[in-house]
Amino acid sequence: QDVVAMACLETAHRNGHWVILNNVHLMPRWLVELEKKLDEYAAEGSHEKFRVFLTSDPSNTIPIGILNRCIKLTNEPPAGLKANLKRAWCFFPKDYIEEADSKTKSILFGLCHFHSVIMERKQFGPMGYNMKYPFSIGDLRDSATCLQNYMDNSTGGKIPWQDLKYIFGEIMYGGHIVNDFDRLVANEYLNFYMKDELLDETEMYPFAEEEKGVSFMSPTPTSFDKYIDHIDKNMACDTPIAFGLHPNAEIDFRTQQSNSLFKTLIALAPQEVSSEEGAATPEQVAKATANEILDKFGDKHFDVEELVRSLEEGPGPYQNVFIQEMEVMNVLLSEIKRSIKELELGFLGELTMSESMEALMMSFYMDQVPEA
């Protein structure tokens, strides 16, 4: 593939063509060659109509030189169940929806709702999934294609719900899922959505009957625009009930969201301040924190050998675990003291500030536990 890509780039460079290279994150080593080739084209002078387009998943292997010269566009799913549902529904052309029969419209709406729930459930962390999965709009597109094929072959007969649920839950979306419990969750959602009641009006929130005032019904088959109006008017703010979870499920998610927001605000705050303003700089905060930690733990050390000698009998299982924990704690204390003393030498100018030292300083400044 790299030979073909280079040949296309060479032709486009001389004749002014456009070239698109998909999924470049899969060939990180070749990207270094691509960067050098683009440098050569820039020095030589390309055709004025020459353009290169790159597509990639989020990756740390793309050379900085390529990123710097690119105009970068991102396509991320919107936040919130309502926005995801509208985006999923509007992904399909209006003419395609209008020409579909009533059964296909209803099933497609249920499929879009399932897609939105699957996408948004990951925000609940371990309560959502045991692992992170790369669900995308492509899964919805392929599922809709299979749905259309089945509906065309059914000739108005009974809807093959079992076949559709197997394709959606085990192949299209299930192809990403490797954990058995996560697969079970996806299939249970499909069991709830994909049923005959979906063709008329049915509740789309699992266990919603246990909560008062929280409900979202699937509409009767109607036009493309009226489906969007139905979503706007009847889907209220996001709630864990929409996912079949307890209302308290969002406490942890909202807490993490708030912490992330404030950490970002602190990181974006100006760090260089004048002495007249009275605010402490990151270096001053880090010095004070480092001194405080050294005052508390500078002389701390667990004498494991003395403890072993003091035991009247040989160490049992509980004593062995305790001794192991003491040894681990000694290693931790040694690393704390070493890294703080190294940081202090950096403040004094005796050592060059490294990335790890700057990260430690910012952790002290933002009142966070430093990374290992």
Side-chain angles (χ1 to χ4, degrees):
Q1 293 180 345
D2 53 345
V3 176
V4 176
M6 282 299 188
C8 292
L9 285 170
E10 190 67 32
T11 303
H13 157 67
R14 300 189 182 283
N15 300 327
H17 297 166
W18 288 11
V19 178
I20 180 169
L21 305 175
N22 287 313
N23 299 322
V24 296
H25 63 284
L26 300 177
M27 299 184 69
R29 295 182 181 178
W30 180 76
L31 289 178
V32 178
E33 299 180 21
L34 175 62
E35 182 182 9
K36 294 178 181 178
K37 183 62 68 173
L38 293 177
D39 290 336
E40 293 178 9
Y41 291 161
E44 180 183 339
S46 301
H47 193 285
E48 61 179 5
K49 293 185 178 179
F50 173 54
R51 298 290 186 275
V52 181
F53 297 87
L54 309 176
T55 68
S56 170
D57 283 351
S59 173
N60 296 325
T61 60
I62 301 177
I64 297 298
I66 292 180
L67 294 175
N68 286 340
R69 73 178 69 205
C70 288
I71 298 174
K72 292 165 282 293
L73 302 175
T74 61
N75 182 22
E76 298 180 356
L81 184 62
K82 184 175 183 179
N84 260 294
L85 179 56
K86 288 181 66 176
R87 179 177 184 261
W89 183 254
C90 293
F91 172 77
F92 299 100
K94 184 176 180 180
D95 295 339
Y96 172 79
I97 300 294
E98 298 292 355
E99 293 172 2
D101 60 83
S102 59
K103 291 182 179 179
T104 303
K105 288 182 181 179
S106 296
I107 299 174
L108 188 60
F109 182 81
L111 182 60
C112 289
H113 189 85
F114 167 74
H115 172 81
S116 306
V117 169
I118 285 291
M119 291 287 288
E120 277 296 292
R121 187 180 170 92
K122 60 186 177 185
Q123 71 183 5
F124 295 100
M127 286 187 290
Y129 298 114
N130 292 301
M131 300 176 64
K132 292 184 178 180
Y133 301 109
F135 301 122
S136 67
I137 199 72
D139 301 318
L140 176 63
R141 177 200 61 214
D142 297 339
S143 298
T145 302
C146 292
L147 169 63
Q148 188 62 54
N149 292 338
Y150 265 85
M151 297 306 292
D152 291 342
N153 295 329
S154 67
T155 63
K158 186 177 180 181
I159 298 175
W161 291 116
Q162 292 300 323
D163 293 349
L164 292 176
K165 287 189 287 188
Y166 184 85
I167 290 174
F168 301 158
E170 298 289 343
I171 300 176
M172 297 304 177
Y173 290 89
H176 298 294
I177 303 174
V178 296
N179 183 276
D180 291 338
F181 290 106
D182 292 339
R183 187 183 299 275
L184 178 63
V185 169
N187 286 324
E188 285 303 314
Y189 274 131
L190 287 169
N191 290 333
F192 180 79
Y193 297 132
M194 300 296 152
K195 53 189 178 182
D196 291 330
E197 289 81 353
L198 182 64
L199 304 179
D200 190 14
E201 286 188 0
T202 186
E203 179 60 60
M204 302 300 287
Y205 286 177
F207 313 113
E209 64 275 2
E210 300 178 7
E211 300 291 335
K212 296 181 180 179
V214 180
S215 175
F216 179 66
M217 306 292 292
S218 64
T220 54
T222 181
S223 64
F224 178 87
D225 293 329
K226 289 187 177 179
Y227 271 106
I228 297 178
D229 292 339
H230 177 79
I231 297 172
D232 288 331
K233 293 178 182 178
N234 296 285
M235 182 171 281
C237 59
D238 288 355
T239 170
I241 298 171
F243 303 88
L245 300 173
H246 190 274
N248 290 343
E250 68 176 344
I251 294 177
D252 183 60
F253 158 62
R254 296 299 181 190
T255 302
Q256 293 182 5
Q257 192 179 48
S258 300
N259 290 337
S260 176
L261 173 63
F262 285 113
K263 287 178 182 178
T264 303
L265 290 174
I266 293 174
L268 294 175
Q271 299 175 6
E272 298 296 333
V273 295
S274 63
S275 58
E276 297 179 356
E277 295 177 1
T281 63
E283 183 175 337
Q284 293 171 338
V285 175
K287 285 181 179 179
T289 305
N291 291 332
E292 182 181 351
I293 293 175
L294 287 179
D295 290 341
K296 289 182 178 179
F297 304 105
D299 300 328
K300 292 292 188 295
H301 181 79
F302 295 102
D303 194 338
V304 179
E305 295 181 357
E306 182 181 352
L307 176 67
V308 173
R309 288 194 300 267
S310 66
L311 295 175
E312 297 180 357
E313 300 178 359
Y318 294 107
Q319 288 81 5
N320 279 326
V321 172
F322 184 64
I323 292 171
Q324 290 173 359
E325 291 298 321
M326 291 173 64
E327 292 174 347
V328 172
M329 187 59 65
N330 282 335
V331 173
L332 177 61
L333 290 171
S334 298
E335 177 60 23
I336 289 174
K337 289 181 279 190
R338 184 205 63 79
S339 58
I340 289 179
K341 290 178 180 178
E342 183 182 61
L343 182 62
E344 289 180 337
L345 293 176
F347 290 152
L348 296 173
E350 298 180 14
L351 288 178
T352 303
M353 290 289 287
S354 62
E355 291 186 6
S356 60
M357 294 162 67
E358 290 182 357
L360 178 60
M361 179 183 70
M362 293 308 300
S363 297
F364 286 160
Y365 177 65
M366 299 178 68
D367 197 20
Q368 295 177 350
V369 176
E371 295 184 1

